[in-house]
Amino acid sequence: MRPPGADERPLVGVVGSGIAGLRAANAILRSEVDARVVVFGDEIHRTYNRPGLTKKRYPLSDSLGMTIAEDVKVKGAESDALTWRLGTGVETADLRARTLRLSTGETFGYDALVIATGVRPRSSVRGDGECRLHTHRTLRGLSDARYVHQRLQAGEKVTIVGAGFVACELASLAREYGCEVLMLEARRSGPFESLLGERVSEALRRWLVRHGVTFLTGDSARELLCEAGEPDAAPSSDRSLFIDAVGSVPNVEWLHGNGLDLSDGVRVDAYMRVSPWDNVFAAGDIARYPDPWAAGSPTRMEFWKNAIDTGNLAGRSLASSLGHGSPASGISYFPSMSTEVIGLRVQIAGNPRTSDSTKIVCGDPDRPDQGVIVAYLREGAMVGAAYLDQGARLNGAYIKLLRSLRERQPDVLHAP
Ligand SMILES: Cc1cc2nc3c(=O)[nH]c(=O)nc-3n(C[C@H](O)[C@H](O)[C@H](O)COP(=O)(O)OP(=O)(O)OC[C@H]3O[C@@H](n4cnc5c(N)ncnc54)[C@H](O)[C@@H]3O)c2cc1C
């Protein structure tokens, strides 16, 4: 019950000020629901372009942090109905009582809630810090980026653990800064192997090596990992930079105690609704939704476009639950992303992970700089595509392939 004279408009809490939270807030405001929206973010920055943190080299400057922050700013709708509570973490949630407990000690009562707290990097040692041999770091936020760019500007030797997107972008960045780069991938034979398969992964590893990266796999990599090597190792004065890019952990701890399925992020239905609560939605890296590209099995994606699409959908579903806007249709998502590995553009669409075979459509994986397109098939039907190129030689052919992939796009999924 609100006290007499209190604002009668519904109050929406958005936890997480990343792109998914911002897009959800924007979608709610666009639906013209007469609600107040409060966005909570434990970072002190407004929403920024997180992928931008590893995409370019910066000149030496005393105000590097400000330069990066300025460069990655993201615009969002400004509205009197929107309040930002930055530097304010949400510590616990009681979904039954519809209240949040904040890091400031306050409580916040809501009518509807969006969960968009993303993920944090996993580390190979406990937390960021120093082991006997290295300074361990991870890269997720602006302050991490400032630190890493500063160290790379100094031309330091860097060791990168992992061979996923962040690891490869960091290796590219470090080479651009002129650093010596060592990549360690103990479980796979090259970059993005679990997504793109061995052939493309091998091609990417060779590409990195050709551009001066030392890339160790298997036991050679394992021996240099700190868990294995540190205890007996002698202390070293060479405290070189060691970056862990070995996956992530969803930020779900504040939701404990509410009986939710938090086994891998927050499970939602095809409308981004967190069952059994009809006023709670989740979006972005944290949301595990029924993936139309994987026959509806629950999937969590850590991609920028996914955060935008699911953020929009969560906002529209929430507005519709408050009786505004047209009812949101269920999730229909065309997954696509791109990254750059030392000047080589890598574009991926669909869901190659679900394939059982691959077909080289054009080009030669051993010469990825000349352009190579790979189709990923399941039972003969295309479920994904990848395009590697140093320019845009095969752009036309890739777009044509995407068109036919889109035509195969699975139907929109609806909640049961
Ligand atoms: C270095 C880097 C490069 C990347 N490059 C690419 C790329 O090239 N292409 C691509 O598609 N994707 C890329 N990604 C992934 C992409 O950035 C993410 O998919 C996207 O940012 C997810 O958005 P989100 O809003 O779900 O989560 P986030 O951006 O993580 O936002 C969540 C926010 O919630 C805050 N938060 C967490 N817990 C709480 C709490 N309890 N209370 C309040 N606030 C909280 C977090 O601090 C954070 O600010 C990259 C990621 C990184 C780190």
Side-chain angles (χ1 to χ4, degrees), residues 326-339:
S326 48
S329 55
I331 188 151
S332 98
Y333 173 52
F334 184 68
S336 69
M337 68 87 58
S338 70
T339 182

Side-chain angles (χ1 to χ4, degrees), residues 57-376:
R57 186 168 74 121
Y58 289 95
L60 279 176
S61 144
D62 290 340
S63 54
L64 178 65
M66 267 157 59
T67 309
I68 304 176
E70 201 48 43
D71 207 37
V72 294
K73 253 188 189 162
V74 167
K75 286 206 186 98
E78 290 304 328
S79 154
D80 291 343
L82 179 65
T83 305
W84 292 86
R85 293 286 310 268
L86 299 174
T88 307
V90 172
E91 293 191 337
T92 57
D94 182 340
L95 301 185
R96 193 172 296 278
R98 301 184 171 197
T99 53
L100 307 176
R101 196 166 58 77
L102 311 182
S103 55
T104 55
E106 301 158 87
T107 53
F108 174 86
Y110 61 80
D111 297 295
L113 180 70
V114 178
I115 297 167
T117 44
V119 298
R120 59 182 181 275
R122 205 180 284 284
S123 173
S124 67
V125 290
R126 242 172 273 131
D128 278 352
E130 312 242 316
C131 73
R132 281 202 277 171
L133 296 176
H134 319 101
T135 305
H136 278 260
R137 294 298 295 209
T138 52
L139 200 166
R140 181 77 190 171
L142 262 166
S143 55
D144 306 323
R146 187 185 54 223
Y147 178 87
V148 167
H149 279 269
Q150 245 161 11
R151 298 275 312 249
L152 297 180
Q153 282 181 337
E156 286 193 27
K157 175 184 169 194
V158 56
T159 304
I160 298 163
V161 186
F165 292 97
V166 173
C168 288
E169 288 187 0
L170 276 167
S172 307
L173 191 65
R175 288 302 295 146
E176 268 194 64
Y177 276 119
C179 303
E180 191 185 324
V181 181
L182 169 63
M183 289 183 83
L184 303 177
E185 170 54 77
R187 287 181 308 151
R188 307 269 179 192
S189 56
F192 320 151
E193 193 187 281
S194 61
L195 182 63
L196 298 185
E198 227 171 276
R199 185 99 196 264
V200 174
S201 175
E202 275 286 323
L204 287 167
R205 185 175 60 77
R206 281 196 301 272
W207 178 259
L208 283 160
V209 171
R210 231 169 90 187
H211 290 84
V213 173
T214 305
F215 197 111
L216 300 183
T217 56
D219 286 344
S220 326
R222 216 164 282 122
E223 275 165 22
L224 295 176
L225 292 177
C226 290
E227 292 139 316
E230 194 205 352
D232 301 326
S236 161
S237 55
D238 162 30
R239 306 204 64 80
S240 63
L241 182 57
F242 197 97
I243 306 180
D244 289 315
V246 285
S248 56
V249 185
N251 293 318
V252 294
E253 291 74 7
W254 62 282
L255 289 161
H256 282 154
N258 288 290
L260 300 180
D261 174 358
L262 302 174
S263 50
D264 176 24
V266 176
R267 188 156 181 178
V268 295
D269 68 14
Y271 298 92
M272 300 287 132
R273 194 168 36 206
V274 179
S275 180
W277 311 100
D278 57 10
N279 64 335
V280 182
F281 301 81
D285 283 6
I286 199 169
R288 189 157 54 102
Y289 55 82
D291 183 1
W293 286 82
S297 65
T299 304
R300 206 169 55 71
M301 296 246 187
E302 295 184 17
F303 292 130
W304 186 251
K305 182 172 176 292
N306 171 67
I308 290 176
D309 290 353
T310 56
N312 277 331
L313 177 55
R316 281 189 285 120
S317 297
L318 185 149
S320 137
S321 78
L322 293 174
H324 290 265
S326 48
S329 55
I331 188 151
S332 98
Y333 173 52
F334 184 68
S336 69
M337 68 87 58
S338 70
T339 182
E340 216 170 282
V341 181
I342 315 205
L344 186 73
R345 195 164 166 74
V346 179
Q347 300 181 64
I348 301 162
N351 193 346
R353 218 184 283 274
T354 59
S355 64
D356 54 32
S357 63
T358 56
K359 181 177 157 203
I360 310 294
V361 178
C362 6
D364 174 359
D366 293 333
R367 309 208 48 200
D369 51 326
Q370 301 298 309
V372 52
I373 296 180
V374 185
Y376 291 82

